[in-house]
Amino acid sequence: MAAEVGTIRSAWRHRRWRPFVVSVAVSGTGDHLYTVALLVYLVQATNSPGWIAAAAIGKMAVYTLLGPFGGVLADRVDRRRLMWWLDVTRALTMALIGLFVIADAPPAVVVAAALVSSALTTPYRPAAVAATTLLVPEDDLAAANAAEASIGQLSWFAGPAIGAALVAPLTKNAVDGLD
């Protein structure tokens, strides 16, 4: 029995959209995972709420300032290549942040690298939204957008949960050292 057109179930029958939406979910989960790791690092390295505020305000400022340009970029270039390039460069930026942390770089360097990652994230969402219209016919577009929104919300929960699970062993050692 075929799914009725315009339902979330019918959106999943589009072969080219399925791997796309999974990749967007993985990317979003990674974005939220690294935020937890960054905050834990800043707490452990500086014990200063000022650094946490600076990182949060900096990320929001980058999104606010570069958001309109990200949308224009997403409209002007091949979206698939743009999203691939953004994911690869953001992964490399995360690896660089990890190296900075291992090398005990100053927190300002780590936060600056996080802001670079935020700048690279800015065109991603507009490209993803626009790409969906190319992968799903108009009859199923609202359903596909709803599915993507639901999956995006799940990544808001899954990313921090995975991030917390990954950094918990590190924070336990740090907390044990405070006794």
Side-chain angles (χ1 to χ4, degrees), residues 6-18:
T7 64
I8 289 180
R9 186 172 168 216
S10 72
W12 285 100
R13 70 179 171 193
H14 300 289
R15 185 180 51 81
R16 292 177 49 215
W17 179 76
R18 289 189 306 257

mmCIF file with all atom_site columns, all heavy atoms in Angstrom, residues 6-18:
data_model
loop_
_atom_site.group_PDB
_atom_site.id
_atom_site.type_symbol
_atom_site.label_atom_id
_atom_site.label_alt_id
_atom_site.label_comp_id
_atom_site.label_asym_id
_atom_site.label_entity_id
_atom_site.label_seq_id
_atom_site.pdbx_PDB_ins_code
_atom_site.Cartn_x
_atom_site.Cartn_y
_atom_site.Cartn_z
_atom_site.occupancy
_atom_site.B_iso_or_equiv
_atom_site.pdbx_formal_charge
_atom_site.auth_seq_id
_atom_site.auth_comp_id
_atom_site.auth_asym_id
_atom_site.auth_atom_id
_atom_site.pdbx_PDB_model_num
ATOM 1   N N   . GLY A 1 6  ? 1.857  13.722 0.388  1.00 0.00 ? 6  GLY A N   1
ATOM 2   C CA  . GLY A 1 6  ? 1.817  14.823 1.336  1.00 0.00 ? 6  GLY A CA  1
ATOM 3   C C   . GLY A 1 6  ? 1.955  14.410 2.787  1.00 0.00 ? 6  GLY A C   1
ATOM 4   O O   . GLY A 1 6  ? 1.870  15.248 3.676  1.00 0.00 ? 6  GLY A O   1
ATOM 5   N N   . THR A 1 7  ? 2.200  13.131 3.039  1.00 0.00 ? 7  THR A N   1
ATOM 6   C CA  . THR A 1 7  ? 2.405  12.678 4.414  1.00 0.00 ? 7  THR A CA  1
ATOM 7   C C   . THR A 1 7  ? 3.901  12.493 4.659  1.00 0.00 ? 7  THR A C   1
ATOM 8   O O   . THR A 1 7  ? 4.689  12.356 3.717  1.00 0.00 ? 7  THR A O   1
ATOM 9   C CB  . THR A 1 7  ? 1.683  11.341 4.678  1.00 0.00 ? 7  THR A CB  1
ATOM 10  O OG1 . THR A 1 7  ? 2.277  10.333 3.846  1.00 0.00 ? 7  THR A OG1 1
ATOM 11  C CG2 . THR A 1 7  ? 0.197  11.450 4.391  1.00 0.00 ? 7  THR A CG2 1
ATOM 12  N N   . ILE A 1 8  ? 4.265  12.486 5.916  1.00 0.00 ? 8  ILE A N   1
ATOM 13  C CA  . ILE A 1 8  ? 5.683  12.276 6.240  1.00 0.00 ? 8  ILE A CA  1
ATOM 14  C C   . ILE A 1 8  ? 6.142  10.921 5.707  1.00 0.00 ? 8  ILE A C   1
ATOM 15  O O   . ILE A 1 8  ? 7.239  10.793 5.180  1.00 0.00 ? 8  ILE A O   1
ATOM 16  C CB  . ILE A 1 8  ? 5.932  12.430 7.747  1.00 0.00 ? 8  ILE A CB  1
ATOM 17  C CG1 . ILE A 1 8  ? 5.784  13.907 8.122  1.00 0.00 ? 8  ILE A CG1 1
ATOM 18  C CG2 . ILE A 1 8  ? 7.296  11.898 8.147  1.00 0.00 ? 8  ILE A CG2 1
ATOM 19  C CD1 . ILE A 1 8  ? 5.994  14.233 9.562  1.00 0.00 ? 8  ILE A CD1 1
ATOM 20  N N   . ARG A 1 9  ? 5.275  9.942  5.791  1.00 0.00 ? 9  ARG A N   1
ATOM 21  C CA  . ARG A 1 9  ? 5.620  8.620  5.255  1.00 0.00 ? 9  ARG A CA  1
ATOM 22  C C   . ARG A 1 9  ? 5.890  8.693  3.742  1.00 0.00 ? 9  ARG A C   1
ATOM 23  O O   . ARG A 1 9  ? 6.804  8.044  3.231  1.00 0.00 ? 9  ARG A O   1
ATOM 24  C CB  . ARG A 1 9  ? 4.476  7.650  5.556  1.00 0.00 ? 9  ARG A CB  1
ATOM 25  C CG  . ARG A 1 9  ? 4.791  6.243  5.163  1.00 0.00 ? 9  ARG A CG  1
ATOM 26  C CD  . ARG A 1 9  ? 3.724  5.291  5.662  1.00 0.00 ? 9  ARG A CD  1
ATOM 27  N NE  . ARG A 1 9  ? 3.899  4.015  5.033  1.00 0.00 ? 9  ARG A NE  1
ATOM 28  C CZ  . ARG A 1 9  ? 2.943  3.222  4.673  1.00 0.00 ? 9  ARG A CZ  1
ATOM 29  N NH1 . ARG A 1 9  ? 1.687  3.549  4.915  1.00 0.00 ? 9  ARG A NH1 1
ATOM 30  N NH2 . ARG A 1 9  ? 3.190  2.076  4.088  1.00 0.00 ? 9  ARG A NH2 1
ATOM 31  N N   . SER A 1 10 ? 5.106  9.497  3.036  1.00 0.00 ? 10 SER A N   1
ATOM 32  C CA  . SER A 1 10 ? 5.320  9.598  1.589  1.00 0.00 ? 10 SER A CA  1
ATOM 33  C C   . SER A 1 10 ? 6.631  10.322 1.263  1.00 0.00 ? 10 SER A C   1
ATOM 34  O O   . SER A 1 10 ? 7.251  10.041 0.231  1.00 0.00 ? 10 SER A O   1
ATOM 35  C CB  . SER A 1 10 ? 4.134  10.294 0.903  1.00 0.00 ? 10 SER A CB  1
ATOM 36  O OG  . SER A 1 10 ? 4.109  11.672 1.202  1.00 0.00 ? 10 SER A OG  1
ATOM 37  N N   . ALA A 1 11 ? 7.073  11.225 2.131  1.00 0.00 ? 11 ALA A N   1
ATOM 38  C CA  . ALA A 1 11 ? 8.341  11.918 1.888  1.00 0.00 ? 11 ALA A CA  1
ATOM 39  C C   . ALA A 1 11 ? 9.500  10.932 1.889  1.00 0.00 ? 11 ALA A C   1
ATOM 40  O O   . ALA A 1 11 ? 10.452 11.077 1.109  1.00 0.00 ? 11 ALA A O   1
ATOM 41  C CB  . ALA A 1 11 ? 8.557  13.002 2.940  1.00 0.00 ? 11 ALA A CB  1
ATOM 42  N N   . TRP A 1 12 ? 9.421  9.912  2.734  1.00 0.00 ? 12 TRP A N   1
ATOM 43  C CA  . TRP A 1 12 ? 10.511 8.941  2.846  1.00 0.00 ? 12 TRP A CA  1
ATOM 44  C C   . TRP A 1 12 ? 10.645 8.027  1.630  1.00 0.00 ? 12 TRP A C   1
ATOM 45  O O   . TRP A 1 12 ? 11.645 7.316  1.485  1.00 0.00 ? 12 TRP A O   1
ATOM 46  C CB  . TRP A 1 12 ? 10.345 8.095  4.112  1.00 0.00 ? 12 TRP A CB  1
ATOM 47  C CG  . TRP A 1 12 ? 10.708 8.893  5.329  1.00 0.00 ? 12 TRP A CG  1
ATOM 48  C CD1 . TRP A 1 12 ? 9.855  9.511  6.178  1.00 0.00 ? 12 TRP A CD1 1
ATOM 49  C CD2 . TRP A 1 12 ? 12.020 9.196  5.779  1.00 0.00 ? 12 TRP A CD2 1
ATOM 50  N NE1 . TRP A 1 12 ? 10.559 10.181 7.146  1.00 0.00 ? 12 TRP A NE1 1
ATOM 51  C CE2 . TRP A 1 12 ? 11.890 9.999  6.929  1.00 0.00 ? 12 TRP A CE2 1
ATOM 52  C CE3 . TRP A 1 12 ? 13.303 8.869  5.338  1.00 0.00 ? 12 TRP A CE3 1
ATOM 53  C CZ2 . TRP A 1 12 ? 12.988 10.479 7.640  1.00 0.00 ? 12 TRP A CZ2 1
ATOM 54  C CZ3 . TRP A 1 12 ? 14.402 9.350  6.045  1.00 0.00 ? 12 TRP A CZ3 1
ATOM 55  C CH2 . TRP A 1 12 ? 14.234 10.139 7.180  1.00 0.00 ? 12 TRP A CH2 1
ATOM 56  N N   . ARG A 1 13 ? 9.705  8.053  0.735  1.00 0.00 ? 13 ARG A N   1
ATOM 57  C CA  . ARG A 1 13 ? 9.828  7.180  -0.444 1.00 0.00 ? 13 ARG A CA  1
ATOM 58  C C   . ARG A 1 13 ? 10.753 7.770  -1.512 1.00 0.00 ? 13 ARG A C   1
ATOM 59  O O   . ARG A 1 13 ? 11.093 7.095  -2.470 1.00 0.00 ? 13 ARG A O   1
ATOM 60  C CB  . ARG A 1 13 ? 8.447  6.894  -1.032 1.00 0.00 ? 13 ARG A CB  1
ATOM 61  C CG  . ARG A 1 13 ? 7.817  8.083  -1.676 1.00 0.00 ? 13 ARG A CG  1
ATOM 62  C CD  . ARG A 1 13 ? 6.471  7.765  -2.252 1.00 0.00 ? 13 ARG A CD  1
ATOM 63  N NE  . ARG A 1 13 ? 5.897  9.048  -2.639 1.00 0.00 ? 13 ARG A NE  1
ATOM 64  C CZ  . ARG A 1 13 ? 4.681  9.249  -2.959 1.00 0.00 ? 13 ARG A CZ  1
ATOM 65  N NH1 . ARG A 1 13 ? 3.842  8.245  -2.976 1.00 0.00 ? 13 ARG A NH1 1
ATOM 66  N NH2 . ARG A 1 13 ? 4.259  10.436 -3.294 1.00 0.00 ? 13 ARG A NH2 1
ATOM 67  N N   . HIS A 1 14 ? 11.200 9.024  -1.334 1.00 0.00 ? 14 HIS A N   1
ATOM 68  C CA  . HIS A 1 14 ? 12.060 9.670  -2.329 1.00 0.00 ? 14 HIS A CA  1
ATOM 69  C C   . HIS A 1 14 ? 13.514 9.284  -2.071 1.00 0.00 ? 14 HIS A C   1
ATOM 70  O O   . HIS A 1 14 ? 14.138 9.730  -1.103 1.00 0.00 ? 14 HIS A O   1
ATOM 71  C CB  . HIS A 1 14 ? 11.847 11.188 -2.305 1.00 0.00 ? 14 HIS A CB  1
ATOM 72  C CG  . HIS A 1 14 ? 10.430 11.553 -2.609 1.00 0.00 ? 14 HIS A CG  1
ATOM 73  N ND1 . HIS A 1 14 ? 9.888  11.419 -3.870 1.00 0.00 ? 14 HIS A ND1 1
ATOM 74  C CD2 . HIS A 1 14 ? 9.427  11.981 -1.802 1.00 0.00 ? 14 HIS A CD2 1
ATOM 75  C CE1 . HIS A 1 14 ? 8.608  11.768 -3.825 1.00 0.00 ? 14 HIS A CE1 1
ATOM 76  N NE2 . HIS A 1 14 ? 8.314  12.120 -2.585 1.00 0.00 ? 14 HIS A NE2 1
ATOM 77  N N   . ARG A 1 15 ? 14.009 8.461  -2.956 1.00 0.00 ? 15 ARG A N   1
ATOM 78  C CA  . ARG A 1 15 ? 15.319 7.823  -2.828 1.00 0.00 ? 15 ARG A CA  1
ATOM 79  C C   . ARG A 1 15 ? 16.458 8.829  -2.656 1.00 0.00 ? 15 ARG A C   1
ATOM 80  O O   . ARG A 1 15 ? 17.369 8.613  -1.869 1.00 0.00 ? 15 ARG A O   1
ATOM 81  C CB  . ARG A 1 15 ? 15.567 6.934  -4.046 1.00 0.00 ? 15 ARG A CB  1
ATOM 82  C CG  . ARG A 1 15 ? 16.826 6.121  -4.008 1.00 0.00 ? 15 ARG A CG  1
ATOM 83  C CD  . ARG A 1 15 ? 16.979 5.270  -5.245 1.00 0.00 ? 15 ARG A CD  1
ATOM 84  N NE  . ARG A 1 15 ? 16.841 5.988  -6.489 1.00 0.00 ? 15 ARG A NE  1
ATOM 85  C CZ  . ARG A 1 15 ? 17.810 6.704  -7.065 1.00 0.00 ? 15 ARG A CZ  1
ATOM 86  N NH1 . ARG A 1 15 ? 18.990 6.782  -6.511 1.00 0.00 ? 15 ARG A NH1 1
ATOM 87  N NH2 . ARG A 1 15 ? 17.607 7.333  -8.204 1.00 0.00 ? 15 ARG A NH2 1
ATOM 88  N N   . ARG A 1 16 ? 16.437 9.932  -3.367 1.00 0.00 ? 16 ARG A N   1
ATOM 89  C CA  . ARG A 1 16 ? 17.526 10.909 -3.287 1.00 0.00 ? 16 ARG A CA  1
ATOM 90  C C   . ARG A 1 16 ? 17.450 11.754 -2.018 1.00 0.00 ? 16 ARG A C   1
ATOM 91  O O   . ARG A 1 16 ? 18.453 12.281 -1.558 1.00 0.00 ? 16 ARG A O   1
ATOM 92  C CB  . ARG A 1 16 ? 17.513 11.811 -4.520 1.00 0.00 ? 16 ARG A CB  1
ATOM 93  C CG  . ARG A 1 16 ? 17.886 11.057 -5.786 1.00 0.00 ? 16 ARG A CG  1
ATOM 94  C CD  . ARG A 1 16 ? 17.823 11.903 -7.037 1.00 0.00 ? 16 ARG A CD  1
ATOM 95  N NE  . ARG A 1 16 ? 18.529 13.161 -6.878 1.00 0.00 ? 16 ARG A NE  1
ATOM 96  C CZ  . ARG A 1 16 ? 18.130 14.304 -7.443 1.00 0.00 ? 16 ARG A CZ  1
ATOM 97  N NH1 . ARG A 1 16 ? 17.045 14.337 -8.184 1.00 0.00 ? 16 ARG A NH1 1
ATOM 98  N NH2 . ARG A 1 16 ? 18.813 15.403 -7.271 1.00 0.00 ? 16 ARG A NH2 1
ATOM 99  N N   . TRP A 1 17 ? 16.278 11.881 -1.431 1.00 0.00 ? 17 TRP A N   1
ATOM 100 C CA  . TRP A 1 17 ? 16.100 12.702 -0.224 1.00 0.00 ? 17 TRP A CA  1
ATOM 101 C C   . TRP A 1 17 ? 16.537 11.969 1.040  1.00 0.00 ? 17 TRP A C   1
ATOM 102 O O   . TRP A 1 17 ? 17.068 12.586 1.962  1.00 0.00 ? 17 TRP A O   1
ATOM 103 C CB  . TRP A 1 17 ? 14.630 13.132 -0.127 1.00 0.00 ? 17 TRP A CB  1
ATOM 104 C CG  . TRP A 1 17 ? 14.315 13.946 1.080  1.00 0.00 ? 17 TRP A CG  1
ATOM 105 C CD1 . TRP A 1 17 ? 14.610 15.259 1.287  1.00 0.00 ? 17 TRP A CD1 1
ATOM 106 C CD2 . TRP A 1 17 ? 13.634 13.507 2.257  1.00 0.00 ? 17 TRP A CD2 1
ATOM 107 N NE1 . TRP A 1 17 ? 14.161 15.666 2.517  1.00 0.00 ? 17 TRP A NE1 1
ATOM 108 C CE2 . TRP A 1 17 ? 13.552 14.603 3.132  1.00 0.00 ? 17 TRP A CE2 1
ATOM 109 C CE3 . TRP A 1 17 ? 13.090 12.285 2.651  1.00 0.00 ? 17 TRP A CE3 1
ATOM 110 C CZ2 . TRP A 1 17 ? 12.946 14.520 4.377  1.00 0.00 ? 17 TRP A CZ2 1
ATOM 111 C CZ3 . TRP A 1 17 ? 12.478 12.204 3.886  1.00 0.00 ? 17 TRP A CZ3 1
ATOM 112 C CH2 . TRP A 1 17 ? 12.416 13.320 4.732  1.00 0.00 ? 17 TRP A CH2 1
ATOM 113 N N   . ARG A 1 18 ? 16.337 10.668 1.095  1.00 0.00 ? 18 ARG A N   1
ATOM 114 C CA  . ARG A 1 18 ? 16.639 9.906  2.321  1.00 0.00 ? 18 ARG A CA  1
ATOM 115 C C   . ARG A 1 18 ? 18.089 10.059 2.783  1.00 0.00 ? 18 ARG A C   1
ATOM 116 O O   . ARG A 1 18 ? 18.329 10.427 3.939  1.00 0.00 ? 18 ARG A O   1
ATOM 117 C CB  . ARG A 1 18 ? 16.266 8.436  2.148  1.00 0.00 ? 18 ARG A CB  1
ATOM 118 C CG  . ARG A 1 18 ? 14.776 8.198  2.116  1.00 0.00 ? 18 ARG A CG  1
ATOM 119 C CD  . ARG A 1 18 ? 14.425 6.706  2.163  1.00 0.00 ? 18 ARG A CD  1
ATOM 120 N NE  . ARG A 1 18 ? 15.076 5.923  1.147  1.00 0.00 ? 18 ARG A NE  1
ATOM 121 C CZ  . ARG A 1 18 ? 14.482 5.474  0.037  1.00 0.00 ? 18 ARG A CZ  1
ATOM 122 N NH1 . ARG A 1 18 ? 13.203 5.715  -0.192 1.00 0.00 ? 18 ARG A NH1 1
ATOM 123 N NH2 . ARG A 1 18 ? 15.139 4.754  -0.841 1.00 0.00 ? 18 ARG A NH2 1
#
